[in-house]
Amino acid sequence: MNFSSILIEWYKINKRELPWRNTINPYFIWISEIILQQTKVEQGIPYYNKFIKHFPTVQKLASADQELVLKLWQGLGYYSRARNLHASAKFIIKNHQGKFPDNYNEILELKGVGTYTAAAVASFSFGLPYAVVDGNVIRVLSRIYGLNLPFDSAIGKKYFIEIAQKLLDKLMPAENNQAIMEFGALQCTPKSPKCSICPFINECVAFRTNTIDKFPVKSKKLKVKKRYLNYFYLKKRKEIFIGKRNNGIWKGLYDLPFLEFSFPLTETEVLKSNEWNTFFKNINYKIISVSNVSVHKLSHQHLYSRFWTLEVNNFELENFSFKKSSKISDLPVPRLLDKFLKDNDIV
């Protein structure tokens, strides 16, 4: 079986027209690959177009204010990706005289770039023979060849990279890499793969053994942490009490102050808690409304959040201050807060 030839022929017929496939500009391809980490193509396209419009060159991105970078990223989640993009752009200006690195090892040095992204940029932009290995590739290879080694183990990761590299068409690495990823996205999908029209139907181990749903093999079960948050929307005339986060998954974003509990509490229990009394000590406040608890699901944690709207005369908290509500829409905020603000016509 000539694996690569079959893939590339399938790709020529079935590939989607995507904006980053119309360029070999390494900067544009890098932007697209970072956006597409943990993001579906359909969701990523408008963000990609927006990013390259605002930052058409690595110089523009490097000189941009981080708040603007995060604002344009707002809604994509995994904000460390945006912070790493910004930091890497500055690194390219400082260490590569503003020219995007053109070899695999130097691309790999960029913050937030792993072996997959480095291989993608190296092959798509410079035609270098490095195989990409992402979730799509792992699924395709594990099913067709019956690879039952857990892909999320150190040995498994190394093994899948070796297999992909051996199968790579060294003369057409870009087409080969695009083809296998597209095949996983459109044909060999996680659920309900199109096996009846698959060009590998006669060779696929998973199909022949009726074990498609068993691949790929994963050893680790994701542990999801539950967090119980009570946010405070503190109003002072036409101003909102808001602050910039200095750490955590939303570092660099603006957020409301909150109290966190290790288990769910009723409104009455929150009001009677020591945490509440300490937080509002010597502060005159008036509760206007309390929202229902909503669940915001992230990859590693579920946030059970309740929003308290209160009127206060003054309030002090480190890194927080009152800002005019009309300016809040210009600031980067977590999707959770953005939804609350929009649902309540605050911005």
Side-chain angles (χ1 to χ4, degrees):
M1 172 177 65
N2 193 324
F3 181 78
S4 295
S5 295
I6 295 172
L7 266 182
I8 292 172
E9 286 304 312
W10 176 93
Y11 178 67
K12 290 177 181 178
I13 299 170
N14 296 280
K15 70 175 180 178
R16 293 169 290 182
E17 289 299 323
L18 301 174
W20 45 83
R21 286 181 176 162
N22 298 321
T23 181
I24 58 170
N25 183 325
Y27 170 70
F28 288 169
I29 291 172
W30 172 58
I31 294 290
S32 73
E33 291 298 334
I34 300 299
I35 286 176
L36 292 177
Q37 292 173 4
Q38 290 100 14
T39 302
K40 293 181 179 179
V41 167
E42 295 76 14
Q43 183 188 8
I45 289 174
Y47 281 92
Y48 169 80
N49 290 331
K50 187 165 52 176
F51 244 75
I52 63 172
K53 179 181 179 180
H54 278 83
F55 312 122
T57 64
V58 69
Q59 288 80 5
K60 289 285 187 180
L61 177 57
S63 62
D65 187 271
Q66 189 181 80
E67 283 193 8
L68 176 58
V69 177
L70 291 171
K71 183 64 179 177
L72 293 174
W73 195 270
Q74 185 174 300
L76 271 180
Y78 298 93
Y79 288 90
S80 60
R81 294 183 291 167
R83 294 192 295 269
N84 289 339
L85 268 178
H86 196 220
S88 290
K90 292 177 180 293
F91 179 86
I92 292 170
I93 297 300
K94 181 179 179 180
N95 296 280
H96 296 281
Q97 294 73 52
K99 182 182 177 183
F100 201 95
D102 60 2
N103 70 77
Y104 176 84
N105 289 327
E106 289 185 346
I107 296 171
L108 195 59
E109 291 178 351
L110 300 178
K111 194 172 184 179
V113 170
T115 54
Y116 160 75
T117 303
V121 177
S123 62
F124 300 158
S125 296
F126 306 111
L128 301 177
Y130 291 90
V132 295
V133 178
D134 68 349
N136 286 317
V137 175
I138 289 168
R139 186 169 58 257
V140 171
L141 294 180
S142 65
R143 284 175 175 172
I144 293 176
Y145 291 98
L147 306 179
N148 56 14
L149 199 62
F151 71 86
D152 55 348
S153 65
I155 295 176
K157 288 177 182 178
K158 182 180 179 181
Y159 185 70
F160 274 98
I161 290 174
E162 290 176 352
I163 293 295
Q165 194 65 34
K166 287 180 181 178
L167 293 170
L168 181 70
D169 185 329
K170 306 301 190 296
L171 298 178
M172 303 177 67
E175 291 83 353
N176 193 150
N177 283 336
Q178 291 279 16
I180 192 168
M181 288 193 294
E182 193 78 330
F183 190 81
L186 302 181
Q187 183 82 32
C188 194
T189 53
K191 296 181 180 179
S192 303
K194 303 177 179 66
C195 296
S196 62
I197 55 171
C198 176
F200 297 104
I201 191 170
N202 294 322
E203 291 82 14
C204 181
V205 172
F207 179 78
R208 287 193 284 107
T209 57
N210 196 29
T211 55
I212 291 170
D213 60 339
K214 304 297 182 183
F215 294 97
V217 176
K218 189 174 184 180
S219 62
K220 300 174 185 176
K221 186 175 182 180
L222 184 67
K223 293 183 178 179
V224 177
K225 180 182 179 180
K226 292 183 178 181
R227 300 176 62 191
Y228 303 93
L229 309 176
N230 284 268
Y231 279 96
F232 300 125
Y233 169 43
L234 305 177
K235 299 169 59 178
K236 186 180 73 171
R237 293 182 292 278
K238 293 184 178 180
E239 295 182 320
I240 298 174
F241 195 65
I242 197 167
K244 194 173 187 177
R245 289 204 175 193
N246 294 322
N247 50 48
I249 58 173
W250 291 332
K251 180 182 178 181
L253 304 186
Y254 285 82
D255 204 2
L256 299 178
F258 63 86
L259 290 179
E260 180 171 355
F261 298 92
S262 57
F263 48 87
L265 297 179
T266 65
E267 293 174 27
T268 301
E269 289 170 332
V270 173
L271 285 168
K272 292 181 177 180
S273 68
N274 291 330
E275 291 85 351
W276 178 283
N277 292 322
T278 300
F279 192 84
F280 287 104
K281 185 178 181 180
N282 301 324
I283 298 294
N284 292 322
Y285 62 84
K286 179 183 178 182
I287 298 175
I288 305 301
S289 63
V290 185
S291 74
N292 293 324
V293 174
S294 62
V295 184
H296 186 67
K297 295 183 178 181
L298 304 174
S299 60
H300 292 81
Q301 52 186 293
H302 291 174
L303 309 181
Y304 293 81
S305 305
R306 176 190 286 125
F307 285 86
W308 299 73
T309 300
L310 306 96
E311 285 185 357
V312 295
N313 291 326
N314 208 348
F315 205 94
E316 291 185 7
L317 198 65
E318 187 178 357
N319 299 321
F320 283 76
S321 62
F322 283 99
K323 295 184 181 294
K324 290 184 178 180
S325 58
S326 59
K327 299 292 185 180
I328 301 302
S329 60
D330 296 332
L331 301 176
V333 298
R335 180 181 287 183
L336 177 64
L337 176 55
D338 184 54
K339 185 177 187 304
F340 169 76
L341 296 173
K342 288 178 178 176
D343 287 348
N344 291 274
D345 296 321
I346 297 169
V347 292

